[in-house]
Amino acid sequence: MMRIGFDVGGSKIAALALDPRGRELARRRREVPRDYAGTLGALVQLADDLVGAHGPAMSIGIALPGMIGAGGELIRVVNLPWIEGRPLRRGIEQAAGLPVTVANDANCFALSEASDGAAAGAPVVFGATLGSGVGGGIVVAGRPLPGANAIAGEWGHNPLPVLRLEDARPERCGCGRAGCVETWLNGAALARDFLRTTGRPAEAPEVARLAARGEVAALAVLGRYRRRLATALAGVVNLLDPDVIVLGGGLSALPGLYAEVPKLWRPLVVAPEPRTRLVPARFGAESGLRGAAWLGRYGAPES
Ligand SMILES: [Zn+2]
């Protein structure tokens, strides 16, 4: 029997059906309705449609951006305020007649990579996403860890430790604080550093291209990015001591991260010979959606 996963973003719902071995059976995509009843109805209809086409399902998992409680409480949902505080999990469970688990999308990313991705079989996995935001999720012994406040893994909103003068220039973060790791490591941060250095605008892929051609300013921007990433991840290694850190999101494809960042975090990690591996995601942008489907395998405590 299949497992159904949904990844609900600000504008689109992606749906995926996986067989018990993680092979893809089907996928669907549609707009997100802009109200609660419509969103609930769309998810139930997609589930019904997949079951109608591919046979019975065991479970439904839903990945959402924001803060999701251990029982699926929608505490804060980025770009989908109309579902905040609403009983979405129970509503779908009743309408579809299947167990439903809801989790933060970075936790789903980490679960996907820990289940059958780049960190498959590792006891403690930290999944970090580097994109327009900087998120993270923790998976221990195959289970996502939500945390007492539903924020486990939110390293992006720790302040970046200031070890150099060039890091003592805090920017305002979307969370309302200043100097968060996210304000140094998201796509806007890389573009801002390049603009300040050269006076020219460029997004991350262009900075990577210029660095590959040997442009000095682009190499310097990438060097600072890798050093800041290593500084922030050293804190994660000292706190959680993960076996594997998996990077996802658009900026995880920047050149040199996997070879250089572990060398750069070494003097900051308290273990003499840190064995934590830094690896790229196996499933890339698909990982949140796959992780949502895997959620049903582990379930979540009832609310
Ligand atoms: Zn922040």
Side-chain angles (χ1 to χ4, degrees):
M1 278 206 288
M2 66 182 180
R3 298 189 184 282
I4 294 172
F6 293 117
D7 191 354
V8 187
S11 61
K12 291 275 189 302
I13 301 172
L16 175 71
L18 292 183
D19 79 3
R21 296 176 60 188
R23 285 179 302 213
E24 183 181 324
L25 296 172
R27 61 175 60 218
R28 302 279 190 279
R29 209 173 154 81
R30 60 158 293 175
E31 302 281 319
V32 184
R34 315 304 286 175
D35 62 276
Y36 174 67
T39 303
L40 173 67
L43 291 166
V44 171
Q45 191 181 33
L46 282 164
D48 285 348
D49 175 35
L50 286 167
V51 168
H54 298 278
M58 277 185 276
S59 60
I60 295 173
I62 306 172
L64 288 167
M67 284 166 64
I68 316 298
E73 307 86 26
L74 308 181
I75 300 164
R76 194 172 63 83
V77 188
V78 180
N79 297 327
L80 303 160
W82 55 90
I83 65 170
E84 283 181 356
R86 306 300 294 265
L88 185 74
R89 188 183 69 77
R90 254 177 297 134
I92 297 172
E93 219 161 58
Q94 280 163 6
L98 289 167
V100 176
T101 311
V102 186
N104 165 271
D105 52 4
N107 290 20
C108 291
F109 164 77
L111 179 60
S112 164
E113 294 298 327
S115 296
D116 60 349
V124 178
V125 177
F126 185 65
T129 54
L130 303 167
S132 55
V134 171
I138 299 169
V139 176
V140 178
R143 286 178 176 274
L145 187 76
N149 301 290
I151 57 167
E154 289 291 352
W155 70 307
H157 301 288
N158 284 343
L160 182 77
V162 179
L163 302 178
R164 299 201 183 185
L165 211 53
E166 66 193 18
D167 299 342
R169 196 169 173 175
E171 296 280 338
R172 184 65 53 188
C173 182
C175 73
R177 296 164 191 82
C180 290
V181 163
E182 178 169 297
T183 67
W184 293 104
L185 295 181
N186 68 0
L190 188 82
R192 187 170 56 238
D193 193 3
F194 188 81
L195 182 65
R196 276 182 184 157
T197 307
T198 65
R200 289 181 281 131
E203 300 288 319
E206 175 68 5
V207 175
R209 263 195 301 279
L210 293 169
R213 293 210 307 251
E215 188 181 304
V216 174
L219 288 167
V221 168
L222 280 181
R224 282 193 288 276
Y225 186 90
R226 288 194 287 254
R227 187 184 53 71
R228 287 167 179 150
L229 177 59
T231 302
L233 286 177
V236 172
V237 175
N238 284 337
L239 181 74
L240 183 66
D241 203 3
D243 297 271
V244 183
I245 296 176
V246 188
L247 298 184
L251 280 80
S252 67
L254 287 173
L257 297 187
Y258 303 95
E260 295 304 318
V261 169
K263 288 183 201 159
L264 292 165
W265 76 34
R266 206 178 161 119
L268 302 171
V269 169
V270 73
E273 303 279 342
R275 288 189 297 190
T276 300
R277 292 190 294 127
L278 183 70
V279 297
R282 176 178 175 196
F283 295 111
E286 291 288 293
S287 238
L289 182 55
R290 289 183 64 90
W294 283 131
L295 277 175
R297 189 155 67 161
Y298 306 98
E302 291 297 306
S303 53

